[in-house]
Amino acid sequence: MRFSEIPGQAEIKRVLVQTVHRQHVAHAQLFRGAEGSAALALALAYATFLNCEQRGPGSQDSCGQCAACQKNDKLIHPDLNFILPVTTTKAVSKDAVSSKFAADWRSFVLENPYQGLNDWMQHIGADNKQGSISKEESLQLLKLVSLKAFEAQFKIVIIWLPELMHPAAANAVLKLLEEPPPATIFLLVSFSPEQLLPTIISRVQPVVVRPYSEADISAFLRDEHQVPEVKARQIAQLVEGNLGAALAAREAATDNDYFTFFVEWMRQCYGYKVDLILAKTDEFQKMGRENQKEFLQFGLGILRKVLLYSIDAQFVPHLPAAEQQFVAGFSRFVHRANADALTQELNDAHYHIERNANPRMVFVDMSLRIAELLKMPV
């Protein structure tokens, strides 16, 4: 992977490149970011850049042409190693360690490097089991780092989700960080760094990976994956900064225009136009259960923006023109006296739809309650 393949994150990329050119590469670095962030992608791009064979003094990215880059792109470089949370599966019935899942990991990351733990567990067929980095993994790690680099300048060990390490594995990693083997770089990628041992945190250089904004995700889906503008914005609003979820959702995304549906629905509720609400109920019914839940999540996101706008318009900058016009106008009717109740109505509806309640009854009941709440005085 190369830095150019990762959307945004310009400042982090610049800093990482400079550490290599200035020969200030820390032996242990912690890429900390929320699930769905670019933390793993940046660690992979950094690892590729470190061992690129054609990296020049002014290079800002790996070349992608040399043997090292091509092997790294396929995650088969002998000096690129991974430690991962795993568990026993039908394919690996005992002694589950990362090396036994190497092929699964390659296909998982190459498909989408922004995925999370649950995605990984589902990918390896773990069912409802919890993944962890076991104490047996620590023995494998010690053997791994005792060997010199095979062909590259650095031996790189990427530990994905180190917060899931067994105490024995955590202590083994701590010892390696205290007495690092020569020419070995540890890149820890964590979603919950607060769960790591304080002694580990004190021995790593932090790399803080910021979450993606709605605009970032929308633009990436539109420009790189040819998702239509309306659908891209809709997905971006639903995933709340999780680029992995956005990439997964683009495949399943429907042609429903949730924003237009929500605007028309709110106007009908405010005007207490029961005949139109009943017609809108028929549209809601035809969406199907998964899209109904998705629409309700979308509505919760819009309500949040409306409430923030009513407090201070600067809290929701960069809205598309149509959305900004609606949010600004609707903010007069969503306030502290009714915001919690409106949110609760949508949450309750989501709960009931998820449990197979009749969508028509849920939608009509919710609509009539929302109509009353929108008339509530400040």
Side-chain angles (χ1 to χ4, degrees), residues 44-207:
L44 290 168
Y46 187 51
T48 304
F49 187 69
L50 280 166
N51 283 331
C52 176
E53 296 169 355
Q54 297 182 20
R55 187 184 71 236
S59 301
Q60 297 302 305
D61 209 342
S62 50
C63 70
Q65 304 298 320
C66 68
C69 283
Q70 291 182 359
K71 290 177 183 178
N72 273 303
D73 285 348
K74 299 175 183 176
L75 305 183
I76 58 173
H77 197 292
D79 295 314
L80 177 64
N81 306 276
F82 296 95
I83 303 295
L84 321 159
V86 295
T87 187
T88 53
T89 64
K90 290 181 180 179
V92 181
S93 58
K94 63 177 182 178
D95 301 328
V97 291
S98 301
S99 58
K100 295 185 178 181
F101 294 86
D104 293 307
W105 176 250
R106 282 195 290 272
S107 63
F108 176 76
V109 173
L110 293 175
E111 177 188 349
N112 180 352
Y114 306 96
Q115 299 182 83
L117 176 62
N118 183 61
D119 301 310
W120 169 236
M121 291 293 104
Q122 295 301 313
H123 186 79
I124 63 175
D127 298 323
N128 294 322
K129 295 179 182 178
Q130 299 294 314
S132 67
I133 298 174
S134 66
K135 58 182 178 181
E136 289 78 14
E137 196 82 67
S138 62
L139 300 176
Q140 300 290 324
L141 179 58
L142 291 171
K143 290 179 183 177
L144 174 67
V145 299
S146 67
L147 302 172
K148 293 182 179 180
F150 287 94
E151 7 179 295
Q153 180 182 359
F154 298 105
K155 177 184 287 294
I156 296 174
V157 180
I158 295 180
I159 305 178
W160 190 59
L161 307 188
E163 57 267 30
L164 298 179
M165 289 189 292
H166 183 279
N171 287 325
V173 168
L174 177 60
K175 184 173 178 60
L176 289 171
L177 298 184
E178 290 174 338
E179 302 174 13
T184 300
I185 307 295
F186 293 93
L187 304 179
L188 283 64
V189 179
S190 175
F191 296 160
S192 303
E194 67 279 359
Q195 296 178 20
L196 290 170
L197 293 174
T199 44
I200 288 181
I201 293 178
S202 68
R203 286 167 173 79
V204 296
Q205 178 174 295
V207 179

Side-chain angles (χ1 to χ4, degrees), residues 284 289-290 292-297 300 342-359 362-363 366:
F284 184 76
R289 212 164 283 274
E290 290 305 312
Q292 289 162 3
K293 292 191 295 181
E294 201 169 79
F295 166 72
L296 292 168
Q297 288 179 315
L300 285 167
L342 287 167
T343 299
Q344 190 62 47
E345 287 300 326
L346 292 175
N347 275 321
D348 287 347
H350 187 283
Y351 174 88
H352 293 305
I353 293 293
E354 198 167 40
R355 283 151 184 78
N356 295 321
N358 184 306
V362 170
F363 191 81
M366 172 176 54

Side-chain angles (χ1 to χ4, degrees), residues 133-325:
I133 298 174
S134 66
K135 58 182 178 181
E136 289 78 14
E137 196 82 67
S138 62
L139 300 176
Q140 300 290 324
L141 179 58
L142 291 171
K143 290 179 183 177
L144 174 67
V145 299
S146 67
L147 302 172
K148 293 182 179 180
F150 287 94
E151 7 179 295
Q153 180 182 359
F154 298 105
K155 177 184 287 294
I156 296 174
V157 180
I158 295 180
I159 305 178
W160 190 59
L161 307 188
E163 57 267 30
L164 298 179
M165 289 189 292
H166 183 279
N171 287 325
V173 168
L174 177 60
K175 184 173 178 60
L176 289 171
L177 298 184
E178 290 174 338
E179 302 174 13
T184 300
I185 307 295
F186 293 93
L187 304 179
L188 283 64
V189 179
S190 175
F191 296 160
S192 303
E194 67 279 359
Q195 296 178 20
L196 290 170
L197 293 174
T199 44
I200 288 181
I201 293 178
S202 68
R203 286 167 173 79
V204 296
Q205 178 174 295
V207 179
V208 180
V209 182
R210 303 296 181 189
Y212 284 108
S213 67
E214 283 185 18
D216 292 333
I217 292 177
S218 178
F220 182 67
L221 293 176
R222 183 193 65 226
D223 299 339
E224 301 298 326
H225 296 277
Q226 291 71 55
V227 177
E229 178 77 27
V230 171
K231 188 182 293 185
R233 288 205 311 269
Q234 192 165 285
I235 293 172
Q237 188 159 30
L238 285 167
V239 299
E240 297 181 340
N242 187 324
L243 185 56
L247 289 171
R250 81 185 192 279
E251 301 294 341
T254 67
D255 291 328
N256 292 314
D257 184 350
Y258 293 150
F259 177 70
T260 300
F261 187 100
F262 185 84
V263 171
E264 292 175 349
W265 178 43
M266 287 297 103
R267 287 173 178 163
Q268 292 161 7
C269 288
Y270 182 77
Y272 216 85
K273 299 176 181 178
V274 177
D275 56 334
L276 296 179
I277 289 174
L278 292 175
K280 188 64 71 176
T281 302
D282 292 334
E283 291 183 48
F284 184 76
Q285 172 84 6
K286 293 175 184 176
M287 281 185 184
R289 212 164 283 274
E290 290 305 312
N291 291 327
Q292 289 162 3
K293 292 191 295 181
E294 201 169 79
F295 166 72
L296 292 168
Q297 288 179 315
F298 179 85
L300 285 167
I302 289 287
L303 276 181
R304 177 179 175 274
K305 289 180 179 178
V306 170
L307 184 59
L308 289 173
Y309 189 94
S310 67
I311 297 170
D312 189 336
Q314 294 183 358
F315 288 159
V316 281
H318 313 305
L319 290 175
E323 193 171 319
Q324 181 162 1
Q325 183 179 1

